């Protein structure tokens, strides 16, 4: 991927199969992202106006970023990734310039997806304060609104944004033609946890008696990121102990119980 400060561009390699669970959500994203890009002529012919912006919200570590990347991969779209927090931290005017520049580059590289992580930072509700000082956040938001409105005529460009705090997003972004689609990305249920464990162990050598269904049952409050971490750690333990050529069931059990303890008392994800 090419990296300029604050923005990464690539066609991601992640596929829909790399994401466990979330079947309906994947289908919605296929329709909203993949179809307009792959069948743009049909969309024009039928007079269907494609979705311009999609907001993904939900607890951290539950695949918002990965879904956006998989959508870009499936559409073979250039993926411009920006971090809200990083934009916010830039010098006066620099963040807005980067935003404008990214939209410009995305137009030239179309089909493109512009992805904002921590979108609530760049798209925060305006304070409505009487102060005449325009804040950094307000300037970024107004640039983002202008750029998104400018996309109405453009083809093959879509904005995806992710946030853990959807309530903090300014209502102006929710108008038609901006974020038309708001999708909740939930923490994984039992079946999804099983699938996530399968995804992250598929290239590992694991003992034949390892029961992933059982592990899925024992990891109720785990996020996708935590399940991925569990698999990685189990692999490292096997490597370190060098006791066998594969990852053992007892290693998974031990790690699950350690992580379980860390969870108890922790805030059960996302209010
Ligand atoms: P954040 O809000 O913290 O940015 P996020 O919701 O964008 O998190 P990701 O960055 O997409 O989450 O996921 C974190 C890691 O967890 C990724 O490496 C991904 O592989 C793994 N992961 C999360 N959910 C799943 C899933 N459903 N299937 C497979 N892997 C998953």
């Amino acid at each position: 991927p090419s990296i300029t400060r604050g923005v990464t561009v690539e066609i991601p390699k992640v596929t829909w199969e790399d994401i466990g669970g979330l079947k309906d959500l994947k289908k919605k994203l296929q329709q909203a992202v993949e179809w307009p890009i792959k069948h743009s002529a049909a969309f024009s012919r039928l007079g269907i106006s494609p979705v311009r912006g999609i907001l993904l919200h939900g607890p951290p570590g539950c695949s918002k970023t990965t879904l956006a990347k998989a959508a870009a991969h499936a559409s073979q779209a250039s993926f411009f990734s920006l971090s809200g927090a990083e934009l916010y931290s830039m010098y006066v005017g620099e963040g807005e310039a980067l935003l404008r520049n990214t939209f410009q580059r995305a137009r030239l590289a179309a089909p493109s997806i512009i992805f904002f992580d921590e979108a609530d930072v760049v798209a925060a509700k305006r304070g409505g304060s009487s102060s005449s000082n325009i804040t950094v956040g307000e300037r970024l938001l107004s640039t983002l609104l202008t750029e998104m409105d400018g996309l109405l005529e453009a083809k093959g460009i879509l904005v995806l944004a992710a946030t853990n705090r959807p309530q903090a997003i300014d209502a102006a972004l929710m108008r038609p033609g901006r974020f038309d689609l708001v999708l909740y990305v939930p923490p994984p249920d039992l079946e999804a946890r099983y699938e996530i464990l399968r995804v992250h162990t598929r290239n590992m050598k694991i003992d034949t008696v390892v029961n992933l269904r059982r592990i899925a049952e024992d990891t109720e409050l785990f996020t996708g990121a935590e399940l991925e971490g569990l698999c990685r750690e189990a692999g490292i333990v096997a490597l370190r102990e060098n006791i066998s050529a594969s990852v053992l069931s007892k290693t998974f059990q031990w790690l699950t119980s350690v992580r379980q303890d860390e969870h108890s008392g922790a805030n059960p994800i996302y209010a």
Side-chain angles (χ1 to χ4, degrees):
S2 96
I3 299 170
T4 337
R5 185 172 169 234
V7 54
T8 331
V9 193
E10 59 177 331
I11 294 184
K13 295 197 173 63
V14 182
T15 70
W16 296 120
E17 288 71 43
D18 295 325
I19 300 171
L22 304 173
K23 216 162 131 210
D24 292 343
L25 200 61
K26 289 189 215 170
K27 210 176 281 168
K28 284 189 186 143
L29 283 170
Q30 273 164 343
Q31 285 176 12
V33 182
E34 222 179 307
W35 290 10
I37 290 176
K38 281 192 172 158
H39 311 292
S40 75
F43 269 66
S44 306
R45 189 161 39 83
L46 294 168
I48 311 171
S49 52
V51 166
R52 296 278 161 214
I54 302 172
L55 180 68
L56 301 170
H57 67 101
C62 292
S63 81
K64 296 182 294 297
T65 309
T66 315
L67 283 164
K69 285 187 174 171
H73 173 87
S75 335
Q76 286 294 290
S78 314
F79 186 75
F80 293 77
S81 175
L82 291 156
S83 142
E86 205 165 327
L87 280 175
Y88 194 88
S89 72
M90 290 180 165
Y91 284 115
V92 178
E94 215 189 344
E96 293 100 286
L98 180 64
L99 263 180
R100 280 192 293 268
N101 178 265
T102 303
F103 274 81
Q104 176 65 21
R105 286 167 64 200
R107 271 193 204 97
L108 294 172
S112 303
I113 288 173
I114 302 173
F115 176 70
F116 288 96
D117 207 357
E118 300 169 276
D120 46 282
V121 182
V122 270
K125 281 200 173 99
R126 282 165 284 199
S129 71
S130 53
S131 141
S132 57
N133 290 336
I134 304 173
T135 64
V136 180
E138 284 168 348
R139 266 201 303 265
L140 286 169
L141 175 62
S142 107
T143 308
L144 179 60
L145 291 173
T146 310
E147 291 299 331
M148 282 197 76
D149 291 347
L151 288 186
L152 280 173
E153 300 306 318
K155 278 213 172 84
I157 304 182
L158 203 95
V159 180
L160 260 74
T163 181
N164 311 321
R165 300 167 55 231
Q167 69 285 0
I169 304 259
D170 195 273
L173 271 168
M174 298 306 176
R175 298 220 187 100
R178 292 170 179 169
F179 288 102
D180 299 299
L181 196 60
V182 177
L183 299 172
Y184 174 55
V185 186
D189 60 13
L190 178 63
E191 191 55 32
R193 291 197 300 276
Y194 171 67
E195 285 180 26
I196 295 170
L197 288 166
R198 278 189 32 171
V199 166
H200 289 291
T201 52
R202 73 188 158 191
N203 295 322
M204 288 171 74
K205 239 180 145 207
I206 56 174
D207 196 72
T208 46
V209 298
V210 170
N211 185 343
L212 295 182
R213 289 225 169 258
R214 168 84 198 283
I215 303 170
E217 281 163 19
D218 290 342
T219 46
E220 202 186 332
L221 291 178
F222 284 50
T223 64
E226 286 169 331
L227 292 168
E228 183 186 14
L230 185 75
C231 297
R232 190 184 312 117
E233 232 179 303
I236 288 170
V237 170
L239 190 76
R240 194 176 53 211
E241 295 190 348
N242 202 15
I243 37 174
S244 72
S246 58
V247 185
L248 300 178
S249 187
K250 66 168 191 193
T251 306
F252 272 109
Q253 269 164 22
W254 170 68
L255 282 170
T256 307
S257 73
V258 173
R259 295 274 170 268
Q260 277 284 13
D261 291 346
E262 287 172 5
H263 259 294
S264 53
N267 206 355
I269 29 195
Y270 200 62

